[in-house]
Amino acid sequence: TAPPCRVLCFSELFFYKEPHDVNVMRKDPVILDCQARGDLPISMKWLKNGVKVLENDRVYALSNGSLYIAEVESKAGDKSDEGFYQCLAQNKYGAILSQKARLTIASISPFEIQPVSAVVQEGSVARFSCKISASPLPIITWEFNRTILPLSTERITVLPNGVLQIYGVQQGDAGNYRCVATNIANRRRSTEATLTVIPALPETILPRKPSIIAGPQNITASLHQSAILECVAIGNPKPIVSWSRLDHKPIDVFNTRVMGNGNLIISDVKLEHTGIYVCRATTPGTRNFTVAMALLTVLAPPAFVEWPESLTRPRAGTARFVCQAEGIPAPKITWLKNGERIHSNGRIKMYNSKLVINQIIPEDDAIYQCMAENDQGSILSTARLIVVMSEDRPSAPRSVRAESVSSSAILLAWDRPLYNSHKVIAYSVHYMKAEGLNNEEYQVVIGNDTTRYIIDDLEPASNYTFYIVAYMPMGASRMSDHVIQHTLEDVPLRAPEISLTSRSPTDIVVSWQPIPAKFRRGRIVAIRLSFRTSTENAINTLELPGSMSEYLIESLIPDTIYLVRIAAATRVGWGEQSAWTSHRTPKHPTLKVHSAIFVFPLAPELHLEPLNCTTILVRWQPSPVNRASIQGYKLFYREESQQERAPIELRAKDSHHTIGGLDPRRKYHVKLLAYSYIGEGYQADQTVSTPGCVSVRDRMVPPPPPPHHLYAKANSSSSVYLHWGRPAFSSGQVVNYTVRCNPVGLQNASLVLYLQTSEAHMLVQDLQPFTKYEFAVRLHVDQLSSPWSPVVYHTTLPEVPSGPPIGIKVTLIEDDTALVSWKQPEDPNVVVSHYTILYASRKAWIAGEWKVLQREGTLTMALLENLLPGNVYLIKISASNEVGDGPFSSAVELPVLLKGETANSKVKHPDGSTEAKAYFEGFYHLDQKSMTGIIVGVCIALTCILICALILIFRSKARYENGCCQAFVELCMQCIICGGTHLIINSFGPIKQNKQTKKKWWPFNYKVRKNTQQSLHATCAYQPGNTVLTYEKESPMSPHQPSLQILFGPIGDSEHSNNSEGSHETGDSGRYSHDETEMTHLSSVSSSASSEPPSLKPFIEYEPSPVSDSPHFALEVPSSCTLEAPNQMCTPPACRL
């Protein structure tokens, strides 16, 4: 029994079984199943590559409709049975076509890639590969010395794509290897490749950063097949291989496994597996890594998103079928009527995956199919159109006539229908261009009160076809007879686009493109060229036949700017002239310097092509006779009547460039020249016009939506991977995209990059490292352009550090500890995430035993600890970031000496120089920045101390002034009355005993006589008879303040005195006494601050002072007192006041 009807079929006629792809051996029989159900009778026939299959004794249809081939042939040409087969079923309702089935004959071709001999060090990795095409896919195995290798061991991995990997190569692995491919058709063996194993070199035991010697390749896999991503990494120690996706999506763990030492195998791939896969090789225990990545694209057969539905429509009505499908690559939509392809005409249109049938006629009653197909397969969906007929309808309008009125208008006239003309309520005039395919049909509805109409929006010099339909309330008449009429010519609407180049300094080659038909408005019969120099007003004019497309203007002046313009004419007259286009004739073609002749580059061959209404593709190729060495190109462009923009610098290997962001319906002047090391070469000038984005008739059609979900991911320091979503409406249509890219904050609009693609992803390359870019995408479909998508910002990755750290200094700060410092690499744009320090003694270095330290990128010093005395250490440093590792610096040597050895040593720097250094315990080298910081800190501290001292001094002046003076008086009294201690007092205070005591100096006012001014220095220089102390009593409101020289004079180590027997030091007041009784007595004597002691009155001499009347007293040293040394006390026989 037949299965229930699904949405893709209907009960009148549908397929119960359809043919599928099949692969068979030559001479084997094969059956292609195809069975249809529906209203009987049903006839079946087969098509091969769209052509009916001729039945014979070897190939014929079975009773159930299937096709039987007794012996499959594989002869060349049409005699081969290979191809695409479809069955066509037909009954009274119409016909339907099945999906395509591909018949292939099993085969296996010679090897496309043979394994290559290799020489590998012991302990390293050996890799062989082979490639072969076969149907069905072959099984790949390997032989070692003609013996089959196991598919997978601890050291050997055989990948299904033909790769052999041998890890930890041993001497026993040396020999001959070959690849064996097997399928049902045959078995093939490749040529043998020899593996030679050599002993490992000494440097292989040194630490090596990881590297990927065989990374993953971009691959394309069909749905439900397997995908293999290879990754072979080496390094010392052995790196760890891990996998991730660039879009950070998780990897499907159920259908994914790791084979060997890091190869990723994805079985039963699905659409969600599409993406960029990243292989990362990391040194264990460190952040040293390297990456390789590849794009996996999963192909999928078409699948319907929206399918057509059966319709019932009256005659002269309109039917619309909708069909949308998705798949990878995007499927192509084809419409079939009763199994045959539909072509657009006046009534039937196909656009945006829709089929529209206007002015339905009885012949439109049929079965319609939407076929979606791509490289992965095809599917069909079926619907029926039922046309309802009306019995009481008028006949068609008669005697349709057309007459040309002008270049854009045609007068149309007709007679009323012969039957039921009184029931006509309106007429519908239909017209379209007669030439070409897929022309759009236009319709004008007019009342029933006239049989004449002028159509006045036609293109000049074009053929149009017309027909008329009469309408009544119950339906429409048949179409009238078609009539064709030609519009008249008119003057050209636009001048030709010209191109200017020079072949020598005295000529200009003027070439022009044909005017597009819609602007030509007739046949071009003449061309007019006008030219002059930019400094003259006299114009030279030439008239040429309309069939010419190039002219050489000769006898011109070298190195002169010429202006050229062009105009075209039809039989009606001359059209508008173009704007002046400037061109400078070259200087002399050669330059002679020191008898050497240098040739300037010739003008490149320039071609301009508008891609859409805002984008122009510039293509060029060097002149075939060019003899100069080209270093690059300069591209200039400007809108007509606008100033020229700054040039765009292009590389010598470039051959095309896209100019985007232009205005629609504008004329642009483009200039291109090549330059070499001797200067700029000849220039090529050309003009081009951008088309309109939306035609006049489509202005009411809304623009398509922009791409959605734009995603950006940095792929390297110079590339960013973009992908975006395709709007659902555009399924089945040819869609192109424009990608806009520019650095954030760019001011020069001419540097904005516009790229074209037909895929929903792109790898934008040639970007600047570590630069923030903005990206946007727009799509173009059916001459319509969408708005720009929302802008996405992304920053490219930094470059791998190209150089090692600089300024490396190593200093031994303890017996077993050294300080190493450095500066970041010289490249100003480098980004460092961490530093790696390798150090080892000479003995360890020979053994390859390096110690590894890592520091964050913000640190530029590290401590090397547990160093062994008596060794010379080697230190190397490298800078790394997320992209990779930079090179290591040259080794710096650090001797670590044994105890008792000399401290002088020499440190070798990376540049090979040496610097003598003396290492002392507890001290180490400070660089200039550190020393500057210490000095600034000490100065700040001293300034704070000075300010605090000044504050304390000024606050304590009043309190200590009288007390200090009285203390000196008491000391003098002690000398006079008691004949006490040997005391000498200078202008700075008493000379104390030679003991280490706390010294407290308090300021006081005093007056020094003229002959003692020289005693301000710190040494004792007293002479007998000199006065050494004066006392001046000042009023409490005295304005005099102690000077800074007296407060902070040289009062340090020069103040010493010899001890005398029985003397004691108070330790805090600066007073000296024999015992407590004397001290108490003197304190009581000096307690009166308002008057002098009475016992002193007979001895006090008052001297009048020129400044103040305050009393003075003086202590004199007798002449018999001698001073043996500056720091010794004299012993006078008596003291005299």
Side-chain angles (χ1 to χ4, degrees):
T1 60
C5 184
R6 301 167 296 170
V7 295
L8 302 182
C9 64
F10 53 95
S11 59
E12 288 88 343
L13 185 64
F14 63 92
F15 283 110
Y16 177 71
K17 288 184 179 180
E18 292 187 77
H20 295 277
D21 294 347
V22 61
N23 190 289
V24 296
M25 291 286 294
R26 182 175 174 272
K27 297 296 183 181
D28 281 357
V30 64
I31 296 178
L32 298 175
D33 282 335
C34 184
Q35 300 180 34
R37 297 286 187 269
D39 291 356
L40 300 175
I42 300 174
S43 63
M44 302 282 292
K45 66 178 181 180
W46 281 86
L47 306 177
K48 175 191 172 187
N49 298 330
V51 180
K52 183 179 178 181
V53 174
L54 300 177
E55 297 187 13
N56 52 41
D57 294 339
R58 188 178 62 86
V59 181
Y60 54 89
L62 302 178
S63 59
N64 62 357
S66 299
L67 182 67
Y68 177 75
I69 304 176
E71 290 184 358
V72 175
E73 295 289 346
S74 61
K75 297 178 181 179
D78 295 336
K79 295 182 180 181
S80 173
D81 291 326
E82 287 187 307
F84 292 94
Y85 288 82
Q86 291 174 284
C87 63
L88 181 70
Q90 185 173 8
N91 65 4
K92 62 181 181 180
Y93 298 109
I96 57 175
L97 194 65
S98 73
Q99 68 183 17
K100 291 182 179 180
R102 184 177 184 180
L103 172 64
T104 55
I105 299 175
S107 62
I108 185 167
S109 65
F111 280 93
E112 299 174 17
I113 298 177
Q114 301 272 8
V116 179
S117 298
V119 178
V120 178
Q121 295 183 24
E122 191 173 0
S124 187
V125 180
R127 179 183 179 275
F128 297 101
S129 66
C130 65
K131 184 178 179 181
I132 193 170
S133 296
S135 178
L137 292 177
I139 298 174
I140 303 294
T141 58
W142 286 84
E143 292 181 354
F144 171 57
N145 293 334
R146 306 294 176 93
T147 303
I148 298 177
L149 277 174
L151 292 180
S152 181
T153 66
E154 184 178 351
R155 294 191 306 111
I156 299 175
T157 301
V158 178
L159 300 181
N161 60 353
V163 174
L164 171 64
Q165 302 168 352
I166 305 174
Y167 286 84
V169 173
Q170 303 171 0
Q171 288 292 341
D173 296 326
N176 296 321
Y177 293 83
R178 68 178 178 181
C179 174
V180 181
T182 307
N183 70 354
I184 60 174
N186 202 349
R187 170 178 294 179
R188 289 188 181 273
R189 293 178 173 85
S190 70
T191 58
E192 290 187 332
T194 302
L195 174 62
T196 304
V197 181
I198 61 175
L201 301 177
E203 55 265 23
T204 58
I205 62 177
L206 298 177
R208 285 180 298 163
K209 63 182 181 180
S211 63
I212 296 176
I213 61 173
Q217 303 295 316
N218 293 340
I219 59 172
T220 300
S222 298
L223 202 65
H224 306 303
Q225 288 186 347
S226 295
I228 303 168
L229 296 170
E230 183 185 7
C231 190
V232 179
I234 59 173
N236 190 20
K238 181 180 178 181
I240 299 173
V241 177
S242 60
W243 287 90
S244 63
R245 288 180 56 138
L246 193 62
D247 56 8
H248 302 294
K249 292 182 180 179
I251 294 180
D252 181 11
V253 296
F254 298 102
N255 295 307
T256 305
R257 60 189 176 94
V258 176
M259 186 174 183
N261 287 270
N263 308 289
L264 190 68
I265 310 294
I266 305 176
S267 57
D268 189 20
V269 296
K270 302 179 177 61
L271 288 177
E272 54 265 28
H273 290 138
T274 297
I276 295 179
Y277 289 78
V278 181
C279 168
R280 174 168 171 159
T282 308
T283 301
T286 70
R287 295 184 181 178
N288 293 332
F289 67 91
T290 185
V291 297
M293 56 190 69
L295 173 64
L296 169 60
T297 303
V298 180
L299 303 179
F304 282 116
V305 177
E306 188 175 4
W307 43 86
E309 297 180 353
S310 296
L311 300 174
T312 299
R313 292 291 184 269
R315 178 176 177 148
T318 300
R320 289 181 175 86
F321 295 104
V322 179
C323 180
Q324 291 190 21
E326 61 183 13
I328 301 176
K332 178 184 177 182
I333 300 296
T334 304
W335 287 94
L336 307 174
K337 175 185 175 182
N338 289 334
E340 296 181 357
R341 179 168 298 187
I342 299 175
H343 296 282
S344 293
N345 56 38
R347 293 188 310 108
I348 301 174
K349 294 294 179 185
M350 291 176 288
Y351 59 92
N352 290 349
S353 301
K354 296 178 182 178
L355 172 65
V356 180
I357 304 175
N358 296 307
Q359 296 298 317
I360 294 175
I361 59 177
E363 290 78 4
D364 295 330
D365 191 319
I367 297 176
Y368 293 84
Q369 286 180 290
C370 169
M371 180 170 66
E373 60 180 336
N374 63 9
D375 296 340
Q376 302 299 301
S378 64
I379 55 173
L380 294 98
S381 180
T382 304
R384 182 182 171 191
L385 173 60
I386 302 174
V387 180
V388 178
M389 307 295 293
S390 174
E391 297 295 334
D392 191 13
R393 56 196 174 103
S395 58
R398 298 172 297 156
S399 304
V400 179
R401 304 170 298 278
E403 181 181 350
S404 299
V405 176
S406 69
S407 63
S408 62
I410 291 178
L411 172 63
L412 202 63
W414 62 94
D415 294 338
R416 295 179 180 275
L418 184 61
Y419 302 105
N420 295 325
S421 60
H422 63 285
K423 296 182 179 180
V424 173
I425 60 174
Y427 292 98
S428 175
V429 177
H430 301 258
Y431 62 97
M432 68 176 180
K433 277 190 173 182
E435 293 92 1
L437 297 176
N438 296 326
N439 292 320
E440 188 171 357
E441 182 179 278
Y442 302 100
Q443 178 182 0
V444 178
V445 178
I446 60 177
N448 64 351
D449 56 344
T450 183
T451 59
R452 296 166 62 88
Y453 186 77
I454 295 178
I455 301 172
D456 58 359
D457 59 350
L458 307 178
E459 295 181 4
S462 300
N463 289 324
Y464 283 86
T465 179
F466 304 88
Y467 70 89
I468 302 170
V469 175
Y471 280 85
M472 59 176 291
M474 297 303 296
S477 69
R478 292 179 178 271
M479 294 182 296
S480 68
D481 294 334
H482 288 65
V483 61
I484 297 177
Q485 184 63 26
H486 191 79
T487 54
L488 301 178
E489 288 189 353
D490 204 340
V491 298
L493 194 62
R494 180 187 292 180
E497 308 285 0
I498 64 172
S499 175
L500 306 177
T501 57
S502 291
R503 298 174 181 172
S504 72
T506 59
D507 64 35
I508 296 178
V509 179
V510 184
S511 58
W512 53 92
Q513 298 292 328
I515 303 175
K518 64 180 179 178
F519 301 114
R520 188 166 57 237
R521 305 208 292 187
R523 187 174 67 88
I524 302 298
V525 296
I527 295 291
R528 177 184 292 163
L529 282 180
S530 303
F531 65 95
R532 65 179 177 88
T533 64
S534 60
T535 58
E536 297 178 354
N537 294 324
I539 299 176
N540 301 290
T541 302
L542 300 170
E543 287 197 9
L544 308 171
S547 59
M548 292 185 64
S549 60
E550 183 178 286
Y551 185 78
L552 178 65
I553 304 176
E554 298 180 293
S555 301
L556 303 179
I557 305 172
D559 195 19
T560 303
I561 297 177
Y562 280 87
L563 303 179
V564 182
R565 67 184 180 187
I566 190 172
T570 62
R571 287 176 293 183
V572 178
W574 288 95
E576 199 174 309
Q577 295 188 105
S578 68
W580 290 106
T581 300
S582 64
H583 180 81
R584 180 186 290 273
T585 53
K587 299 178 183 179
H588 292 291
T590 59
L591 178 67
K592 189 173 182 181
V593 179
H594 300 299
S595 300
I597 297 178
F598 301 95
V599 181
F600 288 96
L602 298 180
E605 297 179 0
L606 181 62
H607 304 278
L608 304 180
E609 177 186 353
L611 294 179
N612 50 63
C613 59
T614 60
T615 309
I616 295 173
L617 175 62
V618 183
R619 294 182 291 110
W620 67 89
Q621 57 186 7
S623 173
V625 296
N626 185 50
R627 293 179 296 161
S629 175
I630 297 176
Q631 289 187 314
Y633 295 93
K634 291 184 180 180
L635 176 66
F636 304 80
Y637 72 96
R638 64 178 176 88
E639 187 180 341
E640 191 174 69
S641 73
Q642 300 291 329
Q643 290 188 351
E644 196 168 65
R645 298 169 180 257
I648 300 173
E649 300 281 348
L650 301 169
R651 299 171 298 183
K653 65 179 182 180
D654 292 338
S655 60
H656 67 276
H657 182 78
T658 302
I659 303 175
L662 307 178
D663 294 329
R665 301 184 186 275
R666 295 287 190 274
K667 179 172 285 190
Y668 287 87
H669 293 257
V670 180
K671 179 173 69 176
L672 181 71
L673 59 85
Y675 64 89
S676 64
Y677 63 93
I678 64 171
E680 296 180 352
Y682 296 7
Q683 66 187 37
D685 295 88
Q686 193 169 334
T687 60
V688 65
S689 297
T690 53
C693 286
V694 181
S695 65
V696 176
R697 304 183 190 280
D698 293 334
R699 286 179 189 244
M700 301 305 294
V701 179
H708 55 80
H709 298 106
L710 177 59
Y711 173 80
K713 182 67 177 179
N715 206 22
S716 67
S717 60
S718 61
S719 61
V720 172
Y721 176 74
L722 301 175
H723 68 81
W724 53 87
R726 173 175 174 158
F729 90 95
S730 59
S731 296
Q733 301 178 68
V734 177
V735 176
N736 293 313
Y737 300 93
T738 298
V739 177
R740 187 185 72 204
C741 166
N742 60 273
V744 174
L746 181 68
Q747 300 297 326
N748 189 352
S750 64
L751 299 181
V752 178
L753 187 63
Y754 294 91
L755 305 171
Q756 305 295 319
T757 181
S758 59
E759 303 292 336
H761 57 83
M762 170 175 274
L763 186 65
V764 183
Q765 298 177 311
D766 298 327
L767 304 179
Q768 295 297 318
F770 205 56
T771 303
K772 189 174 183 180
Y773 284 86
E774 62 178 42
F775 302 91
V777 184
R778 73 190 306 182
L779 65 84
H780 312 280
V781 57
D782 288 343
Q783 298 299 318
L784 299 176
S785 298
S786 75
W788 289 103
S789 68
V791 174
V792 171
Y793 299 92
H794 203 74
T795 303
T796 53
L797 296 176
E799 283 188 316
V800 177
S802 58
I806 61 174
I808 300 175
K809 298 180 181 179
V810 187
T811 307
L812 193 66
I813 59 174
E814 294 182 4
D815 290 341
D816 62 347
T817 303
L819 176 70
V820 56
S821 63
W822 61 90
K823 297 178 182 178
Q824 73 172 18
E826 292 179 326
D827 187 356
N829 296 323
V830 72
V831 176
V832 179
S833 61
H834 65 275
Y835 293 96
T836 302
I837 303 105
L838 299 181
Y839 68 101
S841 64
R842 287 189 182 276
K843 297 178 182 178
W845 170 72
I846 295 175
E849 299 174 356
W850 289 89
K851 295 183 179 180
V852 181
L853 289 179
Q854 287 199 336
R855 293 294 181 264
E856 296 295 331
T858 56
L859 302 178
T860 56
M861 62 176 57
L863 287 176
L864 310 181
E865 300 177 311
N866 301 322
L867 305 179
L868 299 177
N871 287 293
V872 175
Y873 281 84
L874 305 177
I875 300 98
K876 300 194 297 183
I877 306 176
S878 74
S880 307
N881 56 25
E882 59 180 315
V883 181
D885 303 321
F888 277 94
S889 65
S890 301
V892 177
E893 294 185 359
L894 172 67
V896 181
L897 305 178
L898 296 172
K899 292 185 178 180
E901 293 184 3
T902 176
N904 292 330
S905 61
K906 290 187 177 181
V907 176
K908 289 189 178 180
H909 287 277
D911 59 0
S913 63
T914 60
E915 177 184 350
K917 287 187 177 290
Y919 300 97
F920 301 96
E921 184 176 0
F923 295 92
Y924 59 91
H925 175 73
L926 293 175
D927 58 16
Q928 184 175 359
K929 290 184 178 179
S930 301
M931 185 60 70
T932 302
I934 293 173
I935 293 173
V936 172
V938 171
C939 291
I940 293 174
L942 290 177
T943 304
C944 294
I945 294 172
L946 179 60
I947 293 172
C948 293
L950 287 173
I951 293 173
L952 293 175
I953 289 168
F954 289 129
R955 286 184 177 179
S956 60
K957 178 175 76 84
R959 180 172 49 178
Y960 289 101
E961 186 179 52
N962 294 334
C964 292
C965 295
Q966 291 169 3
F968 283 107
V969 172
E970 292 173 8
L971 293 174
C972 292
M973 290 299 298
Q974 181 181 2
C975 176
I976 294 169
I977 298 171
C978 306
T981 60
H982 307 300
L983 177 64
I984 292 179
I985 302 173
N986 67 8
S987 60
F988 296 94
I991 298 178
K992 299 182 181 181
Q993 302 175 16
N994 191 15
K995 291 185 179 180
Q996 293 182 358
T997 60
K998 292 183 179 179
K999 303 173 183 179
K1000 295 188 178 180
W1001 301 94
W1002 302 105
F1004 56 88
N1005 291 330
Y1006 62 93
K1007 181 176 171 185
V1008 181
R1009 294 181 182 178
K1010 253 184 176 180
N1011 57 354
T1012 60
Q1013 287 293 333
Q1014 65 271 20
S1015 65
L1016 289 175
H1017 55 80
T1019 58
C1020 181
Y1022 297 101
Q1023 300 298 327
N1026 285 347
T1027 300
V1028 295
L1029 176 66
T1030 63
Y1031 171 77
E1032 180 180 7
K1033 179 179 179 182
E1034 296 180 352
S1035 64
M1037 301 300 294
S1038 174
H1040 301 291
Q1041 301 294 334
S1043 67
L1044 291 178
Q1045 184 175 1
I1046 295 173
L1047 292 175
F1048 301 102
I1051 58 177
D1053 297 335
S1054 63
E1055 299 173 20
H1056 300 281
S1057 64
N1058 291 334
N1059 294 334
S1060 61
E1061 281 185 60
S1063 65
H1064 299 279
E1065 184 182 34
T1066 61
D1068 58 349
S1069 65
R1071 303 170 186 161
Y1072 292 81
S1073 64
H1074 282 285
D1075 50 35
E1076 291 293 327
T1077 305
E1078 292 178 353
M1079 186 173 183
T1080 304
H1081 172 68
L1082 290 175
S1083 297
S1084 63
V1085 168
S1086 62
S1087 61
S1088 178
S1090 61
S1091 63
E1092 289 78 9
S1095 58
L1096 293 179
K1097 286 180 181 180
F1099 305 97
I1100 296 176
E1101 298 177 355
Y1102 287 93
E1103 289 186 3
S1105 172
V1107 178
S1108 174
D1109 294 334
S1110 302
H1112 293 72
F1113 71 90
L1115 177 66
E1116 294 186 2
V1117 181
S1119 58
S1120 58
C1121 178
T1122 59
L1123 185 65
E1124 299 177 2
N1127 293 331
Q1128 292 180 350
M1129 294 289 294
C1130 63
T1131 310
C1135 292
R1136 183 165 59 87
L1137 184 64

